[in-house]
Amino acid sequence: MNNAPIDKGRVAVVAEKYQTNQVDRQSGQPITKNRYISVGRATLWPSQQYSTAPNVEVELDALPIGHAGKLKLYIFWDSDNQNNQQQPQQQASNNYQPQQQPPQQRQQPQPQGYGR
């Protein structure tokens, strides 16, 4: 049986919501996004002998001060982050076509003045 973790990640909670400069086309309202704060770590382990589902281990280092009620935890897996970074690189390498570019000419710096 393999004792190596399948994946690792960070555990976060929503610290605040903020408005972006983007506007929702349907409602005309500014789009809001979440700002997360890391509160711990998560590890994804292979399933145990009699279980078909993998196990998630969560270690919390901190909790929000003054929070009452339910607390929603978000896990951001390292593998998701790596997949998002690799995807544009793969697309760029698949679409690469070498092209000859004309030799670049040196341009003399133009004097800067107030008038045009």
Side-chain angles (χ1 to χ4, degrees):
M1 186 166 176
N2 190 358
N3 289 334
I6 297 172
D7 203 355
K8 292 187 176 190
R10 64 184 178 96
V11 178
V13 295
V14 175
E16 66 181 348
K17 293 182 182 278
Y18 66 95
Q19 290 184 352
T20 65
N21 292 334
Q22 300 171 338
V23 177
D24 184 7
R25 292 182 182 177
Q26 293 178 347
S27 68
Q29 298 295 319
I31 295 174
T32 58
K33 290 189 176 183
N34 295 333
R35 182 166 286 130
Y36 297 93
I37 186 167
S38 213
V39 295
R41 296 168 307 281
T43 307
L44 183 63
W45 296 97
S47 62
Q48 296 295 326
Q49 186 175 0
Y50 299 107
S51 174
T52 57
N55 299 317
V56 177
E57 181 180 285
V58 174
E59 299 175 45
L60 296 178
D61 297 326
L63 290 174
I65 296 174
H67 183 81
K70 295 180 180 180
L71 181 63
K72 190 170 185 177
L73 301 173
Y74 298 86
I75 299 177
F76 296 96
W77 296 109
D78 292 347
S79 62
D80 290 342
N81 191 19
Q82 291 171 357
N83 289 340
N84 289 341
Q85 289 176 358
Q86 289 176 358
Q87 196 169 19
Q89 292 174 354
Q90 290 173 351
Q91 289 176 353
S93 64
N94 290 343
N95 295 334
Y96 176 73
Q97 295 177 354
Q99 296 177 352
Q100 291 183 346
Q101 297 192 7
Q104 294 182 354
Q105 297 176 353
R106 285 194 168 184
Q107 295 180 349
Q108 296 294 328
Q110 298 293 324
Q112 295 180 357
Y114 293 105
R116 291 192 181 235

